[in-house]
Amino acid sequence: MAILEILEYPDARLRTIAKPVTCFDQKLSNLIDDMFETMYDAPGIGLAATQVDEHIQLIVMDISEDKKDPRVFINPEVTVLEGDPEKMQEGCLSVPGFYEDVERIEHVLIKALDRDGKPFELEATGLLAVCIQHEMDHLNGKLFVDYLSALKRNRIKKKLEKAHRMRA
Ligand code: QAP
Ligand code: CO
């Protein structure tokens, strides 16, 4: 297993559109394990393959307190069950140190494949619903900062660019 490098905003590779997974092989299984290790190490509650520069429709997530509920979503699709938007504070491993309110659909039906390629369905509300929408945005090249005002987004961009310059 390995801890992978997480791309950070405004890295252009975060704008890549992910392709569906077609091959459920050992390579995919290894990537899933590495993504869990990377997410738990951060620590985070969700990570999309896009964030580790792998442009396939794969998400790992664990919203439990004790890292006891690892979930894998491959080629996910979301259907709106109740359209009422819910405001929740979001963060992102690709936007470290920044947290802002974003409006998301509060009740969704998720259809996805598990790590063996077996289809499953899951009704989600609360944090799980918010998190799957956040992670599916990554697969479409979208970040939570895109929902903020240009002023807030640019402030975050400048601060992260400065941090990256200091690191280099
Ligand atoms: C997405 O985000 C999410 O800034 C997952 O310094 C977050 O795991 C969906 C993290 C909140 C819904 C609500 C962020 C870790 C982790 C940071 C994460 C940081 C260290 C973010
Ligand atoms: Co994120």
Side-chain angles (χ1 to χ4, degrees):
M1 300 234 289
I3 290 171
L4 307 170
E5 188 198 336
I6 298 175
L7 302 179
E8 290 185 7
Y9 179 69
D11 194 308
R13 291 171 289 179
L14 288 168
R15 300 308 186 179
T16 313
I17 309 289
K19 293 193 165 63
V21 171
T22 52
C23 190
F24 292 80
D25 56 5
Q26 188 59 46
K27 190 168 159 267
L28 180 74
S29 186
N30 290 344
L31 175 61
I32 292 169
D33 291 342
D34 287 348
M35 283 175 59
F36 272 116
E37 196 181 2
T38 304
M39 180 183 79
Y40 286 135
D41 175 72
I45 58 170
L47 185 68
T50 310
Q51 294 175 275
V52 294
D53 205 19
E54 294 284 346
H55 302 288
I56 56 172
Q57 293 177 17
L58 163 64
I59 292 164
V60 300
M61 206 183 287
D62 190 340
I63 59 165
S64 70
E65 305 254 297
D66 49 2
K67 305 181 173 188
K68 286 287 149 59
D69 192 19
R71 297 170 189 267
V72 176
F73 300 90
I74 294 171
N75 303 348
E77 289 172 37
V78 152
T79 321
V80 176
L81 293 180
E82 281 167 47
D84 290 0
E86 188 181 37
K87 215 178 230 173
M88 202 187 272
Q89 199 173 61
E90 294 187 18
C92 179
L93 289 170
S94 295
V95 191
F98 296 90
Y99 304 86
E100 296 287 345
D101 278 348
V102 177
E103 280 196 350
R104 301 281 188 184
I105 309 297
E106 69 155 302
H107 189 183
V108 295
L109 176 68
I110 307 164
K111 292 182 188 182
L113 305 177
D114 69 13
R115 62 186 297 158
D116 302 312
K118 196 160 99 10
F120 67 95
E121 288 189 9
L122 180 67
E123 248 188 82
T125 57
L127 183 58
L128 184 59
V130 170
C131 203
I132 191 78
Q133 291 171 76
H134 174 112
E135 301 307 334
M136 284 179 67
D137 271 355
H138 279 298
L139 302 181
N140 290 311
K142 206 170 162 91
L143 296 164
F144 84 92
V145 296
D146 299 344
Y147 297 103
L148 309 178
S149 70
L151 183 71
K152 270 190 181 168
R153 184 168 53 252
N154 277 319
R155 202 178 287 153
I156 293 171
K157 181 164 167 264
K158 293 273 175 296
K159 284 186 182 164
L160 283 174
E161 281 172 339
K162 187 174 176 198
H164 297 160
R165 277 198 303 277
M166 313 253 286
R167 212 184 296 163

